[in-house]
Amino acid sequence: MNTVTGSVMVGATSVMSVPMNELDASATHFVEAAVTLLVANPRRILERGVRIEDVVHASDSSTATFFRKFSTKADFLDTVVEHLSRTPLPTDVHETVRTHVTDSGASIRTTVTALVAQYFPAIVDRTSTTESLLDHVFSGPSSPTLASNYRARDQAVLDAFEALFDPDGGAFRRPFTARSFAVTVNAIIDGFRIRSQVDAASVSADVMSDAVLAFLGAVVDTSGHHQHLDDVMGEVGVPVEDRPLPRDPRAAIVTAARDEFGKRGYFMTRMDDVADIAGVPRAACKTLFPTKPSVIVAALQNRVDRLRESVADDQLLGLDELAILRHHMLRCAQLASDEIEFMDALLVAVAHDTYGEPEGLISIKEKLNLPAIIAPVIARGQDSGIFRKSSSPVDLAAGITNTLLMRCFTRRQNSPQDNANFVAELLLDGLGAH
């Protein structure tokens, strides 16, 4: 605690000695008096500190009573800071929102407007806002109480979101997630709250509800199309057909497809969108790449060819079959890491029976046949007695490849080396203890 001219300032860090919920009425009265003084004239407190005699006078009590309740000034000020952190946790948010949804006839705009109007006076209340700001200053950036309060507020926003969009459902446009959505909504509320204290005329319930609705409209997708945030800007800008044709249209299309696969996934990516982003006329794009699988093949063909050449080189160098498989697994894991977007799309395209693109799927299975690269190696290992002959080389090669890729897809946080070693130990060494 800092002292100024015999007064005690509220410190930034402190340890509670008496929990607020254990204070009696007299002690609570002292604390509330101190908070009232802080809120009423923060500048005076900055100049003179929190004077105990002022607190006693405001409480209409005595110094003797004060020190019977608090052994030291520091204990008292710790309790004052803890009082500032009191934020009632939201309750029955879901039920409250659902009631408004029902009353509004399921209108999102009417519901949000009614909710903001209901809570607006409390949001911009000068006393509670000042207490909140003082809490941020005095408690410090690492305050567990502040962090807990924000988590509770974020959860309240998510509860409101769930109630607002039931039963039709709504998804967040990427890259927004539930967490970033809740944080942003609370940031919007906090911004209006602070602005209202210095410019009340510019902050109204209508302005706040319009801001929240605009954010919901941009971030929440109710179409079921798994959209990206970029989609809301789709109509803005110069038509891409007016741009000059890229010097290398094929490369431009592959680059655009990588971005779209990464944002939307395989099924929701449209080749027309890829063409527009690449700056290639749609008809020309369809000529170069008739289907999505054809783009995947173009993007991965060279990498798969290098895998095949690397296995051939290992054989020329005289490596045994086990070493060749281990090397191949590491190279495949590195490919999955380097080409996440296209490898994800490859997995989906092969795993699902896409009737509309039979030629594309045939092309993928022929040109990007990863198991076929190691099937001959496994066959030689079976002939030499290194590998069991209980299954065909083709089935074993497919099992090894699928297991490795699934490991890479589900353990992206691991390095390619770690994923390759895990699968190699599991499939080549087995589960038995040696």
Side-chain angles (χ1 to χ4, degrees):
M1 297 296 173
N2 301 319
T3 59
V4 179
T5 62
S7 303
V8 181
M9 299 292 291
V10 178
T13 58
S14 57
V15 179
M16 279 299 303
S17 58
V18 183
M20 280 295 297
N21 56 8
E22 296 180 10
L23 297 179
D24 60 21
S26 297
T28 300
H29 198 41
F30 284 125
V31 172
E32 292 176 345
V35 171
T36 299
L37 292 172
L38 282 169
V39 172
N41 198 339
R43 183 177 181 85
R44 182 183 179 189
I45 299 301
L46 183 64
E47 293 172 348
R48 303 176 57 190
V50 177
R51 297 164 58 90
I52 300 306
E53 51 267 38
D54 292 340
V55 173
V56 170
H57 177 72
S59 304
D60 194 23
S61 186
S62 67
T63 302
T65 301
F66 176 89
F67 282 107
R68 282 199 298 270
K69 303 300 179 181
F70 303 96
S71 58
T72 65
K73 293 178 181 178
D75 288 341
F76 171 67
L77 294 177
D78 288 341
T79 309
V80 171
V81 172
E82 195 261 347
H83 178 92
L84 291 171
S85 299
R86 293 187 310 168
T87 300
L89 297 180
T91 57
D92 298 329
V93 174
H94 191 281
E95 186 61 32
T96 300
V97 176
R98 287 305 304 166
T99 298
H100 279 287
V101 170
T102 301
D103 294 343
S104 68
S107 167
I108 299 297
R109 166 172 279 280
T110 304
T111 300
V112 171
T113 301
L115 286 168
V116 172
Q118 177 180 341
Y119 293 106
F120 186 77
I123 291 173
V124 299
D125 176 73
R126 185 171 188 81
T127 298
S128 64
T129 301
T130 304
E131 288 185 13
S132 176
L133 293 173
L134 290 172
D135 182 23
H136 279 70
V137 173
F138 295 146
S139 296
S142 302
S143 168
T145 303
L146 282 175
S148 177
N149 287 344
Y150 273 120
R151 286 194 296 271
R153 289 179 56 189
D154 289 346
Q155 185 57 53
V157 169
L158 294 178
D159 289 345
F161 172 84
E162 180 181 342
L164 188 62
F165 289 95
D166 275 348
D168 296 331
F172 301 115
R173 288 189 174 96
R174 287 181 290 180
F176 269 91
T177 63
R179 174 174 171 75
S180 59
F181 171 82
V183 168
T184 305
V185 170
N186 274 314
I188 292 172
I189 294 172
D190 285 345
F192 278 114
R193 191 180 191 196
I194 295 173
R195 179 69 178 268
S196 70
Q197 305 308 302
V198 296
D199 189 13
S202 65
V203 179
S204 65
D206 288 340
V207 172
M208 183 180 291
S209 62
D210 286 345
V212 173
L213 284 165
F215 180 67
L216 288 175
V219 172
V220 179
D221 171 25
T222 57
S223 67
H225 291 165
H226 307 285
Q227 293 178 322
H228 190 275
L229 191 62
D230 293 346
D231 293 336
V232 300
M233 303 297 291
E235 300 301 323
V236 179
V238 179
V240 294
E241 286 77 6
D242 294 340
R243 293 183 292 173
L245 190 69
R247 186 181 301 274
D248 188 343
R250 283 184 176 272
I253 292 170
V254 169
T255 299
R258 183 193 305 276
D259 186 54
E260 288 297 281
F261 282 139
K263 288 179 180 178
R264 310 174 200 284
Y266 177 78
F267 286 118
M268 299 313 303
T269 292
R270 300 189 322 128
M271 288 304 295
D272 283 348
D273 294 335
V274 171
D276 292 346
I277 294 169
V280 177
R282 294 180 177 182
C285 178
K286 192 169 185 63
T287 299
L288 296 175
F289 297 103
T291 63
K292 286 184 282 187
S294 63
V295 182
I296 298 174
V297 170
L300 297 177
Q301 183 70 73
N302 288 339
R303 291 294 298 265
V304 173
D305 288 344
R306 288 204 296 272
L307 287 178
R308 188 176 293 106
E309 291 169 359
S310 296
V311 169
D313 289 344
D314 285 346
Q315 295 179 54
L316 289 175
L317 294 173
L319 299 183
D320 63 54
E321 285 76 10
L322 281 172
I324 294 174
L325 289 182
R326 290 181 186 278
H327 289 182
H328 177 72
M329 287 184 191
L330 177 56
R331 296 180 190 118
C332 278
Q334 190 64 58
L335 171 61
S337 176
D338 294 343
E339 300 287 351
I340 291 176
E341 299 86 359
F342 285 117
M343 290 297 288
D344 281 356
L346 171 65
L347 177 68
V348 176
V350 173
H352 292 266
D353 189 7
T354 312
Y355 292 104
E357 299 175 328
E359 295 181 0
L361 287 179
I362 292 173
S363 176
I364 283 185
K365 293 177 181 178
E366 290 179 348
K367 297 184 178 181
L368 303 181
N369 193 342
L370 294 175
I373 297 175
I374 56 171
V377 177
I378 295 174
R380 283 193 297 273
Q382 288 178 327
D383 292 340
S384 64
I386 296 177
F387 303 135
R388 295 194 302 268
K389 295 184 177 181
S390 56
S391 299
S392 71
V394 173
D395 286 343
L396 291 175
I400 291 173
T401 303
N402 294 341
T403 303
L404 174 64
L405 293 180
M406 185 57 66
R407 174 74 181 184
C408 294
F409 294 145
T410 57
R411 295 292 189 276
R412 298 185 194 277
Q413 72 276 14
N414 294 354
S415 69
Q417 180 78 52
D418 289 341
N419 284 329
N421 287 344
F422 177 87
V423 177
E425 291 176 4
L426 176 65
L427 300 184
L428 303 183
D429 299 337
L431 296 177
H434 300 288

